[in-house]
Amino acid sequence: MTTAQTPHEQALRGAAHTALAAPSIFNTQPWRWEIDGGHARLYADRRRQLLVADPEGRLLTVSCGVALHHARMALAAAGHAVGVHRIPDPADPDLLAELTIIGTHEPTLAELHAGSAIARRHTDRRPFTSQPVADATCHDLIIAAETQGAHVHLIDDNHIAVLAFTAIKAGALQLSDPAYRAELADWTHRPPWSGEGVPTETAVRAVPRRVPVRDYAPFGGDTTRPGRESDRGARYLLIYTDADNPDAWLQAGEALSALLLAAVTAGLSTAPISDITELPTTRDQLRTLLPGLGHPQVAVRVGYPPPGEPPPPTTRRPAEDAINPRC
Ligand SMILES: Cc1cc2nc3c(=O)[nH]c(=O)nc-3n(C[C@H](O)[C@H](O)[C@H](O)COP(=O)(O)O)c2cc1C
């Protein structure tokens, strides 16, 4: 027998459902929601951690932060005021956040836009066009992300070569590691019905561009047509934090979500970039780009999409696997 859900419980379930669309490292969707009695608890799902690319679970936590922000925006846009308790129980570090509806709320325009951008956001790995993303637009994205507590550094043109160098180095080092190749092959060859992983159809083959992107199809397979552009108008934003611990990683994820949704609202295409932060050597090199001290967490490429078919959307796990799952 199922017990009737209260309106708050229904709204929390709806938000967790909406948050399934959140981007995550290798589309691992490394979270689980437990909803009961007016609370939604977000847990890290360690079984979905990338043990080679992400041994500390940093990008797992960043991904959960994205899902948290998506859920918060869905609730805010639906007119709910929400209390958020981050990492509430030191005895249970996998419990990353607890959401409680505490009243009604008049959504801001930014929240309404963010809520409606969730379904329209997809990672686009094609090179973006030469149409430059204006400084003022980048400024808006930075403000949106920084209200979530992390910092954002806009990489200026003089430093693109450093970013490109770290991306080339990360790609070469990772792909020469058999353990990384095995992990990549695993997550790029999931059966379509599983609703997880990165299908090669969403990857693009290597083409000349300002900063190379992670190669998700080094073993072959169908890929998206890259078009004729080379990212000349693209801008690169680096999210970084003062601390380097789970609280900071969660905050970086919330900032990543805010930045991506604001970019979609501004008519931009987006692609997160984290390979450059996955090895200590390239992550250290990225630090030299920051205006002060800080820990690089994840970068984002934003730009205007080329003409032609966009990559197909990636799929998601069934909701019952991620929301109040049986095991
Ligand atoms: C923390 C994080 C790191 C990511 N790193 C990369 C990356 O290095 N390269 C890339 O092309 N996509 C990256 N992505 C995008 C994911 O691969 C993508 O979100 C996932 O495959 C689901 O596809 P979607 O964004 O189109 O929904 C990252 C996403 C997150 C949240």
Side-chain angles (χ1 to χ4, degrees):
M1 196 183 75
T2 53
T3 46
Q5 287 174 24
T6 64
H8 282 182
E9 206 167 327
Q10 273 173 11
L12 291 167
R13 269 179 189 274
H17 205 280
T18 302
L20 295 178
S24 58
I25 180 78
F26 281 28
N27 198 17
T28 49
Q29 304 159 53
W31 53 74
R32 172 168 65 84
W33 291 95
E34 294 290 347
I35 297 160
D36 72 81
H39 303 289
R41 296 187 184 85
L42 173 67
Y43 288 88
D45 185 344
R46 300 279 164 202
R47 293 168 304 179
R48 300 184 152 268
Q49 183 173 340
L50 300 176
L51 296 176
V52 181
D54 185 30
E56 287 179 298
R58 178 175 63 83
L59 293 164
L60 173 149
T61 310
V62 172
S63 300
C64 291
V66 182
L68 172 61
H69 182 264
H70 272 43
R72 285 176 44 216
M73 289 305 103
L75 287 164
H80 299 288
V82 178
V84 186
H85 199 169
R86 292 174 183 78
I87 317 200
D89 181 359
D92 187 358
D94 285 348
L95 175 54
L96 296 179
E98 184 172 81
L99 304 184
T100 313
I101 296 179
I102 51 177
T104 55
H105 164 75
E106 187 164 343
T108 63
L109 195 57
E111 287 164 345
L112 290 172
H113 282 152
S116 83
I118 289 175
R120 285 182 283 128
R121 184 218 55 83
H122 304 287
T123 299
D124 190 344
R125 300 191 175 88
R126 297 174 299 167
F128 299 148
T129 68
S130 307
Q131 183 183 344
V133 181
D135 284 344
T137 308
C138 293
H139 184 71
D140 290 346
L141 305 186
I142 293 171
I143 301 278
E146 290 196 335
T147 52
Q148 303 304 313
H151 307 289
V152 182
H153 177 59
L154 175 64
I155 296 179
D156 68 53
D157 279 355
N158 296 332
H159 291 120
I160 292 293
V162 178
L163 185 68
F165 175 70
T166 59
I168 294 165
K169 189 168 168 183
L173 289 174
Q174 289 190 312
L175 284 173
S176 62
D177 174 359
Y180 173 83
R181 284 205 305 274
E183 189 167 69
L184 182 70
D186 181 17
W187 283 96
T188 50
H189 291 83
R190 296 276 155 139
W193 50 257
S194 69
E196 60 192 16
V198 183
T200 61
E201 289 83 353
T202 66
V204 292
R205 65 182 164 77
V207 286
R209 60 202 297 168
R210 289 169 87 200
V211 178
V213 301
R214 193 203 298 266
D215 186 355
Y216 285 91
F219 321 103
D222 289 342
T223 51
T224 292
R225 292 169 87 88
R228 292 163 182 265
E229 303 289 346
S230 55
D231 275 329
R232 281 174 64 85
R235 307 296 291 271
Y236 298 85
L237 299 116
L238 180 57
I239 296 175
Y240 66 102
T241 50
D242 294 330
D244 199 27
N245 55 31
D247 295 77
W249 303 338
L250 199 64
Q251 235 168 16
E254 291 179 85
L256 172 60
S257 170
L259 196 161
L260 293 173
L261 298 177
V264 170
T265 302
L268 297 168
S269 285
T270 62
I273 309 173
S274 65
D275 50 357
I276 50 178
T277 70
E278 288 163 20
L279 296 170
T281 168
T282 51
R283 197 173 181 213
D284 282 348
Q285 264 153 358
L286 278 184
R287 273 202 189 104
T288 65
L289 295 177
L290 298 179
L293 296 176
H295 301 274
Q297 300 296 350
V298 62
V300 184
R301 176 174 61 100
V302 298
Y304 293 97
E309 259 320 280
T314 51
T315 50
R316 292 294 185 271
R317 289 187 289 157
E320 56 273 22
D321 280 11
I323 305 172
N324 287 2
R326 289 229 182 79
C327 59

